[in-house]
Amino acid sequence: MRFSFVTRRLVRPASAVFLAVGVVAGCSTSTLEITDPDVLNVGDYATAAGATPLRLGAIQDFQNVFSGNLNLENVIVVTGNVSDEMYSTDTFDDRLFPNQRAMNENLPALDNFYRALHRARAGATRAIGVLKAVAPTPVQNIGELYGIRGMTETFFAETYCSGVPFSEETDSGTQFGQPQTTAQIYTRALASFDSALASAGTDARVQNIARIGRGRVLLNQGRFDDAAAAVAAVPTNFSWVTAHTTSSGRQENGVWNALSVANSRYAIVLPDAQGRGEGVNGVAFLTTPADRRIPWQASTRTGFNGSSRNLPTQLKYDRTTGAVVASGVEARLIELEARLRKDTQADRDAVFAGLNALRATAISPAMDPLPGAAETTQTAAVNQFFAERAKWLYLTGHRLGDMRRLVRQYGRTANSVFPTGNLPSPLAGVYGNDVNLPIPFDERNNPNFSGCLDRNP
Amino acid sequence: MRLFVPAASARGERSGPQPRCEAPRRTSPHATTASAPLLRRLFTSALALLTVAGSVAPNALQAQAAGGTVVGRVTDAATGQPIQQARVLVQGTQIGALTAETGRYSLRVPNTGAIVLEVSRIGYEAKRINITVSGTAPITQDVALTQAAFSLSAVVTTVTGQQRKVELANATATVNVAEKIAELPVANMGQLLSGRAAGVQVVSAGATGAGSRIRIRGQSSLSLSNDPVVIIDGVRMTANSGSSSIGVGGSTPSRLDDLNPEEIENIEVVKGPSAATLYGTEAANGVINITTKRGKAGKTRWNFYTENGRITDPNTYPLMYYGWGTQLTGATAGQRVRCPAISVAAAICRQDSLRVGNAFLIDSLSPIDQGSRQQYGMQISGGNDRVQYFVSGESEVETGVYKMPDIEIARLTRERGVSSLPSNQIRPNALDRNSLRANLTAQISSKATLQVSSGFIASRQRLPQNEDNGNGLMVGMLGGEWREDLRDSRGVPLLGWRAFPMGDILSRTTSQSVNRFINSAQLQYNPISWLTTRATVGLDFASRSDVGINLFDQGVLGVNRVGQISANRGEINQQTVDLGGTANKQVFPWLNSKTSVGMQYIRNYFGQSEGTGQSLPPGATTITAAAVRNSSQSTDEKRTLGYYVEQVFSINEKLFITGGLRRDAASAFGKDFRAVNYPKVGASWVMSDQSFFPELSWVNTFRLRATYGASGQIPGATDALRFYSPFATTISGTADQPGVSLGSLGNATLRPEFSAETEGGFDLTMFDGKSNIEVTYYNKNTTDALIERRVAPSIAGVTSRFENIGNVRNSGLELVYNQRVVSNERLGLEFVFTGSTNKNELITLGEGVSPIPSGNRNTQLNAPGFPLYGLWGRPYTYNDANGDGLLVASEMTYGDNQFIGATYPTREIAFTPTIELLDKKLRITGQVDRKWGMKKLNNTKRHQCQAGISCEGLYQGAPLEEQAKAVAAASSIFTGFYEDGSFTRFRELSVSYQMPNSWAKALRAERWNLVLTGRNLGVWTPFTGVDPETTVGNSDTRGNEEFFSTPPMRYFTFRMNFNF
């Protein structure tokens, strides 16, 4: 077959080019489209059906960061390590330095914790938006998420230095947050709890979450009477508890994993020869016989460092035990503290009676009352109150905030409240002066952020 | 010497005018529909593009009438022995044939008239011969080839088919594995490649079965793999290191090491983007192109080999220190306590004694024994002119040096009430591998050749808990306190081990089973004289099973002591479709044109199902038996589609100019980024063939080459996507429910890393081919570097996001020097010297992006102006102000954080001499290499000083320099543990002897030789750790860090080869 010059030189090559390009284009369009089963499209969860898993995901993220098994570090563990509730038996600076109150911005475990706290906050915020848009009822679902958001904001304020930013991430982009002072964060948290209360409907649980949250923030703000009023309606037997299972490692109770496994990276503190808790100032939590609010037993366990031996084992948490985020006991303690602030002997007597009432009714079987009578000086009464509060709220993420309040609201010096002096053997070195956590270095990828505004209590 | 010397011409003469070829007969492209299967569409597209190229090519060659036949024999010019597998090709066409075992060939030429035959064979000088084909009787043309080990006419495998080295504008490195391996046995691919090519660095792990890390021309990517692409028989294979889903602390297998080196004919190392452009996205780190052995026409040949060896540990482990003293203060005053120097200085205690040693020095505590290695294999090859086959099978067993101490065997036997322990607990490190291969080459028509390659590997490997693992072996040996009085919480004596008895550590077993097929089929079809088309399809499929298990009441104390099992099953599936064609035209007598077009489709899939179970009943070994069970699933898939065009002009066979372009689209690119173009251009100029080149009798060839090319690195499968991740949610009082939260921020503009490389150099062959020097300079710039940027945590808590924000440069010099000192029938002496430099620098990191820390404890910082993965630290000085011989914190002065040194060697050389004696029946070859210009983190010592409380510097009496390291470590300043990592290693020595023929014949063999090989025979280094090549994890971030790692072991093997 013979072709004309035009056919040979023009038509056929051009046809071939068009054919080839067409085929290639067709291939590239269809062949390169992959649906990855591991990923879930964001758009699928802006629906009524998708809103529930999004809401549950926010709840789980909160549980993880509060008491879950998230690389061991959660609110209870981190605040407990910095305070006098526990110390680190690890070989990593990530955990040794917080215990030593000598932290820096480059401690990966603290970075993970900070991220997880933001994840819980941002997840709740995202879910609130979706629920409002596509699943506004039952309204208490939204209220609970506001409560979670308020609680994460409270943790930021109680745990970190001043200057935490709150960036926003939506489908349309990212808005970097400006550093917030501690006071601003408390204000923010209070607003979230107000929204929780407003969205609680008739659900008593969510109402109580919001009330205790408000009370906790108001206490931090020094508005003691307002705090007492906020929690007045909370029954003493109320508790907001996280849930844990052994279904996956992530769902286990992380406090148990941190403190109770063989070669644990953390340990609870045995009193020294003088009966003092961690670093001279610490509360002596472990007593013999054990205070039933702080069950423990002796063991021959060894810490991760291989050098810390005969570590006591806490019995408050098992692998699947839930952790109390907020409770009626806390509500009563808020009320008692407001009363204590009145600073009269009658008030001290009333607080003493209130503490004994809790011992009689808030735990079963009832505990013995505190020995003797009410303290006759405000300082001693405050000491007694905070020791009792520390034991009631042992390993619930309150102690660091309380120690900071003792400095901020009660005129104590940091080194008369926090552990100080030489680290106990086999650890070496001395305690530093930190009273809060620095914001991790990675936050400097936020162009608005250049470090803590201050490290004040 | 000229590259192509016409048979009738002498050196320096020009070859005569070349005939003009006839115009090709054209064919119409096959139409197809858009809904046709992928393969057909790709093939059709390739043909269509190729036809376009053919259509627009100049038709300078004229058609002539019916052709004739050329027959002949190719022999070795020196010995007269026939040369098989020599390629006889009609110049300017793809018409050719291979010689049989007898050296004979028969070539049907479609056209009559003058033609030029090109005859080539690896290891010989190519020849070009002018002949005239007539239509009558066959023309006989015998050819004698001259051996030339360093010839530019050697044939190398490229994307567009086989090309002569002289045509390539880049340096090439070829490892003739089949020639080497029989007389220099290797255990794995890492040993095979180590020191064989300039710029190719291999870091081998010490444990048996632990994978090697191969880096070509440095490290370019901060967040992506720096592994090269590996291609075997034309198809992409999975070759990543770190291929395990159950970590043991550091050591991991490499899928490259699945390959049996005995099956390999040769390896081409394509070093960088300048040469790897047509390989497309992912080839920025170079390409390792493997060709397996193929059958040769002739009688059936049987090769049998057997290898036995032993493995020993030549290393000395660091001493541990423990100071005992008397407490001077407090409630415990007067008690015997650990007494560190800092407490002595503070008058808290008085040091009374210092205990020094380690458990390696006590035979009853040491988990080191002698390992062993056995290998048995058989290879059969043969065939006729039309069909050739190669079949091989091998069984290999290697048992590492680790062994449970006898006292622990006795203890556990007693505790468990059994008569013996499982062998995998006593010997926790072993590799058992069986491999089969069948390769077939068939001339299915006069125009078509089919090659089918099929390899199967079945391996089973086990590794102990080790390296960066608190429950690991080395941490147990070196990570604790050096004292004899400790017991675990059950009261079992620890005897010097850190926290767990060694038997408990080794009772957790981790194993990996792999069943893997690597199959390919290559069809070459020459429809017309000037056109060659190729189609390759291949599948690399592996089923991987990882199992880690603590039987009930076994293993270290902890939650897993109740019995725990992790069992993960994965599918590794890589598919390749490669279509292409090359049109070859002699446009003018002085100009040859070669146009290639092609397409490649790569699908890379990994899927895994993971299951864990906890709380097992006694004896149970399955998840089914566990009281608490959990499962998950993960998938990773990437697809790449690329097409390319390459044009090579050959001007008088002296100047070769190449241009090309590849365009890739990939599923992993962001939705706003569709495709990337990779250009290449280069020239190779044989200056010594030019008339102006000085007539220097000692210079044979001198070639200049320069090239520019680009390639890329593909993002991860889901890096571009914004998505939610699922997980189970525990709600009090209810069963778990599904929950989701934000998993990734995504990046819609994500595009591949773009690496552009400029390479230039020369090849100089001198003294009748006895000396050969290759010098190459390269400069590789990686722009749009894909960096896993840490995200400000306040943005939803997401950790990181991939962004194209970096610019990295690698540059350096490479030298290859081959020298044949003596070569005659009785003896020979030659050596190969390779060397390279590498300067790596992170040029930019994106505006506003903070330097990125990496490495253990953020000891590395990736900052503009400095190398990737460089070690940074605060320098310090010390002054024992009070002269008490004890350093305390107040006597230290620290500087600002600064760059201390690169972790990747910036200089390396390897010297490989070979001597042949006794009529060349005795052959001795060895290799000494040196690497320097890098720092190494002695993280084991850091741990001993900071947390393990066992380093010398912690105690009174230590040199102040050692005390300073320990005092600084207490403040998380680790600069004192950055050591000079340079070393010189006597890497291998092999002695091969060919037994007398009469002895071989007594065994009915044609040839019988014995090979004794030693590896890792000595090392000289200032590094104070166990070994300068000890590596934890063998990753780029931790690749030059010693952290309780298994050091390189010493191998002695004895091998016998029988050829029948």
Side-chain angles (χ1 to χ4, degrees):
Chain A
M1 184 176 182
R2 299 185 69 81
F3 295 93
S4 70
F5 177 82
V6 172
T7 303
R8 283 200 328 248
R9 287 294 190 192
L10 196 60
V11 176
R12 195 171 64 182
S15 303
V17 168
F18 283 124
L19 177 63
V21 171
V23 171
V24 170
C27 279
S28 59
T29 301
S30 60
T31 309
L32 301 180
E33 289 179 357
I34 297 174
T35 302
D36 193 314
D38 292 341
V39 307
L40 303 172
N41 294 324
V42 172
D44 293 345
Y45 292 84
T47 62
T52 297
L54 194 61
R55 177 177 69 84
L56 296 177
I59 293 172
Q60 184 63 37
D61 279 344
F62 175 74
Q63 295 188 140
N64 280 346
V65 78
F66 181 71
S67 55
N69 195 26
L70 183 84
N71 299 317
L72 292 183
E73 278 65 43
N74 54 45
V75 169
I76 294 175
V77 169
V78 170
T79 58
N81 189 34
V82 178
S83 70
D84 55 359
E85 291 182 322
M86 62 170 77
Y87 70 105
S88 177
T89 51
D90 199 15
T91 60
F92 284 80
D93 296 344
D94 306 40
R95 301 176 179 99
L96 293 171
F97 284 3
N99 176 61
Q100 200 173 343
R101 299 175 57 211
M103 289 165 272
N104 60 58
E105 294 181 352
N106 289 302
L107 300 173
L110 294 188
D111 181 85
N112 291 337
F113 169 67
Y114 178 74
R115 283 184 188 282
L117 206 49
H118 271 298
R119 168 182 280 282
R121 175 195 62 81
T125 303
R126 188 181 305 111
I128 287 168
V130 171
L131 259 65
K132 281 183 173 177
V134 301
T137 57
V139 68
Q140 62 265 30
N141 285 345
I142 297 173
E144 182 181 17
L145 292 171
Y146 272 121
I148 285 173
R149 191 175 79 178
M151 197 54 75
T152 59
E153 290 162 343
T154 305
F155 293 148
F156 276 118
E158 289 184 351
T159 308
Y160 283 93
C161 65
S162 181
V164 175
F166 296 89
S167 302
E168 300 298 330
E169 193 277 337
T170 64
D171 295 351
S172 56
T174 297
Q175 181 77 37
F176 286 107
Q178 294 289 341
Q180 304 288 298
T181 65
T182 301
Q184 287 174 319
I185 298 171
Y186 279 127
T187 302
R188 187 186 188 101
L190 190 61
S192 292
F193 286 124
D194 288 344
S195 297
L197 197 56
S199 303
T202 58
D203 189 284
R205 175 175 169 272
V206 176
Q207 287 174 342
N208 290 329
I209 288 172
R211 288 168 181 149
I212 300 171
R214 294 188 78 248
R216 185 166 177 171
V217 173
L218 292 165
L219 202 62
N220 274 296
Q221 290 178 323
R223 297 163 61 185
F224 298 97
D225 290 338
D226 291 342
V231 300
V234 179
T236 305
N237 64 356
F238 169 76
S239 62
W240 176 16
V241 184
T242 58
H244 297 287
T245 71
T246 55
S247 298
S248 69
R250 190 170 186 265
Q251 291 167 270
E252 293 177 355
N253 183 309
V255 187
W256 175 82
N257 267 301
L259 286 168
S260 303
V261 299
N263 296 97
S264 59
R265 295 180 192 264
Y266 295 94
I268 52 177
V269 185
L270 275 172
D272 64 12
Q274 285 76 44
R276 300 173 300 193
E278 183 185 3
V280 180
N281 299 316
V283 171
F285 290 103
L286 305 190
T287 58
T288 305
D291 184 320
R292 282 192 291 102
R293 294 167 294 186
I294 307 169
W296 68 283
Q297 68 182 20
S299 90
T300 52
R301 287 187 311 110
T302 304
F304 185 81
N305 58 17
S307 309
S308 300
R309 299 181 173 277
N310 300 319
L311 300 179
T313 299
Q314 65 79 29
L315 301 176
K316 179 167 184 167
Y317 294 111
D318 202 343
R319 199 170 186 174
T320 59
T321 310
V324 176
V325 183
S327 67
V329 170
E330 183 182 355
R332 299 293 84 78
L333 289 167
I334 291 172
E335 292 168 344
L336 291 174
E337 187 173 347
R339 186 72 188 269
L340 185 61
R341 295 290 297 189
K342 308 294 184 189
D343 196 9
T344 69
Q345 190 56 45
D347 294 313
R348 286 191 283 274
D349 291 343
V351 170
F352 187 74
L355 292 175
N356 279 333
L358 281 177
R359 284 173 161 245
T361 61
I363 189 168
S364 179
M367 294 176 64
D368 292 338
L370 289 164
E375 299 288 353
T376 55
T377 66
Q378 183 70 0
T379 300
V382 168
N383 287 347
Q384 183 183 56
F385 173 81
F386 273 88
E388 275 292 282
R389 180 177 159 93
K391 290 174 181 175
W392 278 113
L393 303 180
Y394 181 61
L395 294 182
T396 59
H398 287 79
R399 182 62 179 157
L400 176 59
D402 286 349
M403 295 172 95
R404 291 180 69 181
R405 287 200 301 116
L406 278 168
V407 180
R408 195 169 69 238
Q409 298 174 341
Y410 290 86
R412 310 287 175 91
T413 62
N415 286 334
S416 68
V417 174
F418 284 84
T420 191
N422 290 319
L423 291 165
S425 178
L427 306 178
V430 296
Y431 284 98
N433 298 310
D434 290 350
V435 295
N436 51 39
L437 273 62
I439 296 166
F441 180 83
D442 279 350
E443 190 58 52
R444 292 177 185 262
N445 287 300
N446 173 352
N448 300 327
F449 177 82
S450 58
C452 291
L453 299 176
D454 66 59
R455 299 294 303 273
N456 298 334
Chain B
M1 185 174 72
R2 294 290 188 259
L3 290 179
F4 293 97
V5 182
S9 65
R11 183 184 181 278
E13 293 176 348
R14 307 285 178 87
S15 55
Q18 304 301 311
R20 296 164 68 85
C21 291
E22 64 181 21
R25 183 177 296 174
R26 297 189 185 124
T27 56
S28 298
H30 299 286
T32 188
T33 64
S35 60
L38 173 68
L39 180 64
R40 200 171 74 205
R41 284 192 290 176
L42 292 176
F43 189 73
T44 305
S45 302
L47 278 180
L49 283 175
L50 200 61
T51 307
V52 173
S55 302
V56 299
N59 290 318
L61 307 181
Q62 300 301 312
Q64 294 187 18
T69 302
V70 183
V71 298
R73 186 164 180 260
V74 179
T75 56
D76 185 307
T79 65
Q81 294 296 310
I83 299 174
Q84 58 180 336
Q85 296 294 103
R87 190 173 74 155
V88 182
L89 195 68
V90 178
Q91 188 193 39
T93 76
Q94 299 298 318
I95 299 168
L98 294 175
T99 58
E101 188 183 27
T102 57
R104 296 197 173 279
Y105 70 93
S106 176
L107 184 62
R108 174 68 187 167
V109 182
N111 309 311
T112 55
I115 63 170
V116 178
L117 280 187
E118 291 178 4
V119 185
S120 61
R121 172 76 167 97
I122 290 175
Y124 289 87
E125 282 288 323
K127 269 191 174 173
R128 295 171 66 191
I129 301 160
N130 297 318
I131 61 172
T132 301
V133 178
S134 66
T136 55
I139 298 169
T140 299
Q141 181 63 58
D142 294 338
V143 183
L145 297 182
T146 305
Q147 285 194 29
F150 318 122
S151 173
L152 289 175
S153 61
V155 174
V156 296
T157 303
T158 69
V159 172
T160 58
Q162 291 197 328
Q163 280 184 278
R164 289 171 299 152
K165 189 175 176 180
V166 70
E167 297 175 18
L168 303 176
N170 51 275
T172 56
T174 303
V175 182
N176 294 319
V177 182
E179 291 180 9
K180 282 188 182 302
I181 206 164
E183 295 177 339
L184 183 56
V186 296
N188 53 52
M189 293 296 291
Q191 290 180 358
L192 178 61
L193 289 168
S194 182
R196 311 289 179 217
V200 179
Q201 296 205 21
V202 179
V203 181
S204 297
T208 287
S212 306
R213 183 167 54 107
I214 297 171
R215 294 291 173 266
I216 302 175
R217 291 183 175 171
Q219 302 158 316
S220 300
S221 290
L222 177 59
S223 305
L224 301 179
S225 167
N226 282 297
D227 288 337
V229 164
V230 179
I231 292 170
I232 180 167
D233 291 330
V235 302
R236 190 80 68 87
M237 69 170 275
T238 300
N240 60 302
S241 52
S243 179
S244 175
S245 61
I246 299 178
V248 296
S251 292
T252 52
S254 163
R255 294 278 71 87
L256 179 62
D257 284 334
D258 285 344
L259 292 184
N260 177 5
E262 306 279 351
E263 297 175 349
I264 297 173
E265 178 71 28
N266 64 64
I267 297 175
E268 312 281 354
V269 180
V270 181
K271 293 183 181 175
S274 62
T277 299
L278 298 190
Y279 290 95
T281 301
E282 293 188 276
N285 297 315
V287 178
I288 294 176
N289 201 342
I290 297 170
T291 303
T292 59
K293 292 177 179 174
R294 310 215 70 87
K296 299 173 177 61
K299 68 176 185 180
T300 301
R301 303 187 67 84
W302 298 69
N303 296 331
F304 173 74
Y305 55 90
T306 174
E307 183 178 316
N308 283 271
R310 70 174 194 179
I311 308 168
T312 59
D313 183 359
N315 299 287
T316 301
Y317 293 88
L319 293 173
M320 300 165 66
Y321 297 78
Y322 196 89
W324 284 106
T326 302
Q327 182 76 17
L328 301 177
T329 61
T332 56
Q335 290 186 6
R336 187 175 185 242
V337 294
R338 184 178 84 91
C339 186
I342 188 173
S343 297
V344 175
I348 295 172
C349 65
R350 178 186 66 241
Q351 182 174 307
D352 300 326
S353 63
L354 189 64
R355 180 176 155 82
V356 183
N358 69 43
F360 286 103
L361 299 172
I362 302 172
D363 287 345
S364 61
L365 303 183
S366 174
I368 303 290
D369 193 34
Q370 183 175 294
S372 63
R373 174 175 170 76
Q374 296 88 39
Q375 182 172 296
Y376 308 96
M378 179 177 285
Q379 298 183 340
I380 307 165
S381 66
N384 55 35
D385 290 348
R386 300 189 70 83
V387 179
Q388 298 96 41
Y389 61 89
F390 169 82
V391 179
S392 74
E394 183 188 281
S395 178
E396 173 189 0
V397 178
E398 184 174 309
T399 303
V401 297
Y402 291 131
K403 177 180 174 294
M404 188 184 292
D406 289 341
I407 57 169
E408 284 293 277
I409 294 175
R411 178 181 69 83
L412 292 176
T413 303
R414 189 172 59 249
E415 283 182 4
R416 296 177 190 174
V418 295
S419 58
S420 63
L421 300 183
S423 60
N424 60 352
Q425 294 185 5
I426 296 175
R427 284 287 190 176
N429 181 207
L431 172 67
D432 183 347
R433 183 174 62 191
N434 297 294
S435 57
L436 293 169
R437 172 163 290 279
N439 289 352
L440 184 73
T441 305
Q443 183 98 30
I444 55 179
S445 79
S446 62
K447 296 180 177 179
T449 304
L450 177 67
Q451 289 191 340
V452 178
S453 306
S454 180
F456 173 71
I457 303 112
S459 71
R460 183 169 175 81
Q461 174 184 12
R462 56 182 187 264
L463 288 165
Q465 304 292 300
N466 212 351
E467 285 97 23
D468 192 352
N469 183 342
N471 300 341
L473 183 150
M474 281 289 181
V475 171
M477 295 296 289
L478 297 170
E481 304 167 56
W482 184 234
R483 48 191 289 198
E484 73 288 9
D485 58 325
L486 298 176
R487 293 171 179 268
D488 74 4
S489 60
R490 297 165 301 175
V492 176
L494 292 175
L495 306 172
W497 299 311
R498 189 183 84 99
F500 308 110
M502 188 53 61
D504 290 351
I505 289 174
L506 302 184
S507 290
R508 167 136 188 131
T509 59
T510 304
S511 62
Q512 181 176 89
S513 300
V514 172
N515 290 301
R516 183 173 188 178
F517 285 94
I518 305 178
N519 299 319
S520 68
Q522 296 175 287
L523 176 66
Q524 180 169 313
Y525 177 54
N526 305 332
I528 40 185
S529 63
W530 52 269
L531 178 64
T532 299
T533 61
R534 301 173 299 277
T536 302
V537 294
L539 171 67
D540 173 12
F541 179 88
S543 170
R544 190 184 79 188
S545 173
D546 298 317
V547 177
I549 186 166
N550 271 62
L551 294 175
F552 172 75
D553 208 26
Q554 295 184 16
V556 300
L557 288 175
V559 292
N560 290 339
R561 185 90 180 170
V562 297
Q564 192 276 344
I565 179 171
S566 297
N568 305 333
R569 302 215 166 174
E571 173 191 328
I572 303 168
N573 189 333
Q574 188 144 215
Q575 299 161 9
T576 303
V577 178
D578 186 346
L579 308 174
T582 299
N584 196 332
K585 297 224 173 194
Q586 195 68 37
V587 184
F588 301 109
W590 53 271
L591 179 66
N592 181 273
S593 165
K594 191 151 63 175
T595 307
S596 299
V597 297
M599 292 183 180
Q600 281 183 339
Y601 168 73
I602 307 291
R603 175 178 181 257
N604 191 333
Y605 173 86
F606 176 73
Q608 182 164 269
S609 298
E610 301 156 14
T612 61
Q614 198 161 36
S615 194
L616 298 169
T621 58
T622 65
I623 295 173
T624 307
V628 180
R629 285 170 269 176
N630 190 264
S631 62
S632 60
Q633 184 182 358
S634 59
T635 304
D636 188 283
E637 182 175 358
K638 287 187 283 192
R639 298 179 190 173
T640 305
L641 178 64
Y643 38 99
Y644 62 82
V645 58
E646 183 188 64
Q647 175 64 48
V648 181
F649 289 114
S650 165
I651 302 171
N652 284 330
E653 288 287 331
K654 295 169 186 166
L655 176 62
F656 301 86
I657 299 171
T658 303
L661 180 71
R662 172 149 177 153
R663 181 174 172 80
D664 273 5
S667 61
F669 295 168
K671 66 181 174 59
D672 296 344
F673 185 83
R674 291 302 305 168
V676 59
N677 295 320
Y678 301 117
K680 67 176 283 189
V681 61
S684 168
W685 184 20
V686 188
M687 284 184 68
S688 55
D689 278 2
Q690 297 289 354
S691 57
F692 62 78
F693 193 79
E695 286 287 338
L696 303 172
S697 61
W698 49 276
V699 173
N700 304 110
T701 59
F702 178 75
R703 174 175 76 130
L704 285 177
R705 48 186 160 73
T707 182
Y708 165 87
S711 184
Q713 270 276 67
I714 197 169
T718 59
D719 292 341
L721 304 177
R722 182 172 185 269
F723 59 83
Y724 286 140
S725 293
F727 48 79
T729 300
T730 308
I731 301 297
S732 182
T734 66
D736 285 356
Q737 297 183 50
V740 302
S741 70
L742 192 66
S744 168
L745 294 174
N747 184 349
T749 63
L750 204 65
R751 52 195 182 275
E753 280 188 357
F754 189 88
S755 291
E757 184 181 58
T758 305
E759 175 189 309
F762 66 86
D763 305 73
L764 175 62
T765 305
M766 303 173 290
F767 307 115
D768 297 326
K770 291 177 181 170
S771 301
N772 184 68
I773 296 173
E774 293 180 13
V775 176
T776 304
Y777 171 78
Y778 66 91
N779 187 346
K780 180 167 76 169
N781 275 292
T782 300
T783 53
D784 283 341
L786 279 165
I787 290 177
E788 188 176 11
R789 181 182 180 183
R790 302 284 286 186
V791 174
S794 61
I795 305 174
V798 174
T799 306
S800 58
R801 183 172 99 143
F802 274 87
E803 297 181 14
N804 298 91
I805 51 174
N807 184 355
V808 180
R809 182 168 62 209
N810 277 282
S811 59
L813 272 173
E814 293 170 350
L815 167 69
V816 180
Y817 174 34
N818 301 64
Q819 180 65 53
R820 186 174 292 167
V821 182
V822 180
S823 179
N824 58 43
E825 292 181 353
R826 297 185 60 80
L827 53 93
L829 173 62
E830 65 180 35
F831 63 80
V832 181
F833 179 89
T834 63
S836 69
T837 68
N838 176 261
K839 182 181 180 187
N840 175 276
E841 184 180 351
L842 176 63
I843 306 295
T844 61
L845 193 53
E847 189 177 345
V849 180
S850 304
I852 297 173
S854 59
N856 190 246
R857 285 166 171 73
N858 289 342
T859 45
Q860 301 169 359
L861 195 66
N862 299 280
F866 298 93
L868 296 179
Y869 311 112
L871 283 172
W872 289 62
R874 297 177 65 184
Y876 57 75
T877 57
Y878 53 87
N879 177 27
D880 182 18
N882 60 6
D884 63 354
L886 299 167
L887 279 184
V888 295
S890 61
E891 294 172 321
M892 301 286 294
T893 304
Y894 300 104
D896 293 334
N897 196 36
Q898 65 183 51
F899 174 70
I900 305 296
T903 55
Y904 187 85
T906 56
R907 308 278 188 276
E908 56 98 16
I909 55 173
F911 179 65
T912 309
T914 301
I915 185 168
E916 296 169 297
L917 303 168
L918 306 177
D919 296 334
K920 292 193 171 179
K921 289 182 175 167
L922 177 65
R923 179 183 170 96
I924 303 170
T925 185
Q927 186 181 94
V928 176
D929 66 344
R930 173 169 173 75
K931 296 179 182 177
W932 72 103
M934 71 291 200
K935 295 286 184 182
K936 187 176 180 76
L937 170 58
N938 188 345
N939 206 10
T940 304
K941 189 170 184 176
R942 191 280 308 162
H943 184 279
Q944 291 177 329
C945 283
Q946 191 184 26
I949 60 176
S950 63
C951 84
E952 181 185 13
L954 286 168
Y955 298 101
Q956 187 177 16
L960 292 178
E961 181 184 352
E962 294 300 314
Q963 290 188 50
K965 293 176 184 175
V967 173
S971 299
S972 276
I973 296 169
F974 307 130
T975 323
F977 308 103
Y978 302 166
E979 300 185 20
D980 184 347
S982 63
F983 66 90
T984 302
R985 188 178 298 277
F986 186 3
R987 194 166 293 279
E988 63 188 20
L989 178 67
S990 181
V991 180
S992 165
Y993 182 69
Q994 184 179 334
M995 303 297 282
N997 288 343
S998 58
W999 292 26
K1001 285 179 180 170
L1003 297 173
R1004 299 188 174 183
E1006 283 186 7
R1007 193 166 181 263
W1008 173 21
N1009 76 332
L1010 313 177
V1011 187
L1012 182 64
T1013 303
R1015 294 192 173 279
N1016 186 24
L1017 300 172
V1019 64
W1020 296 267
T1021 177
F1023 180 66
T1024 64
V1026 181
D1027 187 285
E1029 285 193 292
T1030 307
T1031 173
V1032 55
N1034 218 350
S1035 62
D1036 290 314
T1037 50
R1038 305 191 70 179
N1040 203 29
E1041 172 194 329
E1042 178 178 310
F1043 193 50
F1044 300 111
S1045 324
T1046 303
M1049 297 296 160
R1050 180 168 294 161
Y1051 283 67
F1052 285 105
T1053 58
F1054 176 69
R1055 176 179 170 123
M1056 289 194 291
N1057 298 307
F1058 298 93
N1059 296 8
F1060 298 94

